[in-house]
Amino acid sequence: MNSMRRGILAFFGSLVLSRPSPSRAASQPPAFAASRSSYKPRHVLCFLGKDNGLAALLQSARAAIAQFDHGFTADEDGSQNEPDDRMVRSFNICWDRVNPDAYEEADEDAVATHGCVLYMLSPPMTAETAVATSAKVLMFVQYMLDHGAVAVKGETSGVAHGVRRWKELCAQGRSAADSDDLLALAKTCRLAFARRPIGDDAEGMASVGNHLVGLPDVLVTFVRKDEQQPSTNDEQLEIAALIDEIGDQMAHEGIAAAVAARHATLSDDTRYDEDEYKFNPFGVVTIRDKKL
């Protein structure tokens, strides 16, 4: 059993079955999010492989399932042993725009020349199991990239990273698990699987996918100096940085404390229907009228 898997499974046991010891309290979340819905989120992953490579990808997926979690399932009906001409446009929309090195030309080429598509689903999650499950999903991604996958996209939030960036995130997760640092592990999983900023100037910009680590999403409405001009890339990155900062604060201090400190509001997620994968059962924290 590799060190990341061993660390995550041990951490999962401590989260669910016991109280944290004083020496580990600093790495534990103050409280789990209260669900505002009966819906339980899950990961949906899209793996691209080489020509006529679906059988090999399925074999790799079954090996990963045996190693990491028997609750993972393959959507064989939705998968296909041929290219999907929608993938280039889909990945172009979904590439992470926050990290400057999120993807490379080689990743775009791999998407353009892919030969098969495999969809995988994680087990449904609660707030208590979200980080541990997402950490297993990160390990699953690493395994698949090492065994035939040429590109990966998180369908739940609509985010994609290039191979180098995925492996960097996996290494960060492994380091956090080895150090028994749940907060660092949760942040790594959030950066891997949540997308931000999504939206527009009129309605504001938000995260999508924080429910995959058991947190509400964050919506920021804003006021610019010149309302006649659309928001710039730098302004959108400023919004993304604020979303990440609030995500860190919720994980460290607890959701109620972060909401109070930011003079924000927590409400139900009305952006998506309750049966959609993007729906956040833990709600949406809204920051209004930030000045850019």
Side-chain angles (χ1 to χ4, degrees), residues 56-79:
L57 277 187
L58 278 168
Q59 183 176 359
S60 296
R62 292 183 185 113
I65 289 169
Q67 184 173 355
F68 300 129
D69 195 321
H70 290 282
F72 286 88
T73 56
D75 178 7
E76 297 191 41
D77 291 335
S79 303

Side-chain angles (χ1 to χ4, degrees), residues 161-177:
H161 309 282
V163 171
R164 185 205 56 79
R165 175 60 175 161
W166 274 120
K167 291 188 175 182
E168 178 181 76
L169 290 162
C170 292
Q172 291 173 6
R174 185 181 308 112
S175 177

Side-chain angles (χ1 to χ4, degrees), residues 48-52 80-87 111-117:
L48 303 186
K50 299 177 181 179
D51 288 340
N52 200 34
Q80 60 186 59
N81 194 30
E82 59 185 9
D84 185 334
D85 58 12
R86 300 170 297 178
M87 285 298 160
V111 173
T113 59
H114 77 280
C116 65
V117 183

Side-chain angles (χ1 to χ4, degrees), residues 131-143:
V131 172
T133 302
S134 290
K136 293 177 187 177
V137 173
L138 199 55
M139 291 190 294
F140 199 103
V141 168
Q142 171 84 65
Y143 188 94

Side-chain angles (χ1 to χ4, degrees), residues 55-274:
L57 277 187
L58 278 168
Q59 183 176 359
S60 296
R62 292 183 185 113
I65 289 169
Q67 184 173 355
F68 300 129
D69 195 321
H70 290 282
F72 286 88
T73 56
D75 178 7
E76 297 191 41
D77 291 335
S79 303
Q80 60 186 59
N81 194 30
E82 59 185 9
D84 185 334
D85 58 12
R86 300 170 297 178
M87 285 298 160
V88 170
R89 181 176 183 275
S90 179
F91 271 79
N92 282 342
I93 292 171
C94 293
W95 291 124
D96 175 37
R97 307 291 179 179
V98 177
N99 186 289
D101 300 315
Y103 65 103
E104 304 168 351
E105 185 177 348
D107 297 305
E108 295 178 294
D109 291 342
V111 173
T113 59
H114 77 280
C116 65
V117 183
L118 172 65
Y119 290 99
M120 297 293 304
L121 290 80
S122 80
M125 301 178 290
T126 64
E128 291 83 356
T129 63
V131 172
T133 302
S134 290
K136 293 177 187 177
V137 173
L138 199 55
M139 291 190 294
F140 199 103
V141 168
Q142 171 84 65
Y143 188 94
M144 294 297 289
L145 288 172
D146 290 341
H147 295 83
V150 299
V152 184
K153 173 159 56 79
E155 295 285 353
T156 305
S157 59
V159 68
H161 309 282
V163 171
R164 185 205 56 79
R165 175 60 175 161
W166 274 120
K167 291 188 175 182
E168 178 181 76
L169 290 162
C170 292
Q172 291 173 6
R174 185 181 308 112
S175 177
D178 286 346
S179 302
D180 279 2
D181 190 340
L182 177 62
L183 289 172
L185 183 61
K187 180 173 183 175
T188 297
C189 290
R190 178 161 48 86
L191 295 179
F193 297 117
R195 188 177 174 206
R196 73 271 185 244
I198 301 295
D200 57 36
D201 293 356
E203 300 296 328
M205 295 186 179
S207 63
V208 178
N210 278 5
H211 56 313
L212 298 174
V213 291
L215 291 176
D217 277 306
V218 179
L219 168 66
V220 179
T221 67
F222 49 91
V223 179
R224 300 185 318 283
K225 294 178 181 178
D226 185 353
E227 291 293 334
Q228 302 304 312
Q229 297 296 322
S231 60
T232 65
N233 186 63
D234 286 344
E235 288 173 331
Q236 292 175 20
L237 289 175
E238 183 180 340
I239 294 296
L242 177 59
I243 289 171
D244 288 343
E245 183 181 308
I246 295 169
D248 290 341
Q249 187 176 8
M250 289 191 295
H252 281 77
E253 301 175 12
I255 295 161
V259 168
R262 296 282 177 169
H263 304 288
T265 58
L266 174 63
S267 58
D268 293 344
D269 186 358
T270 59
R271 304 169 300 171
Y272 306 103
D273 292 334
E274 195 169 353

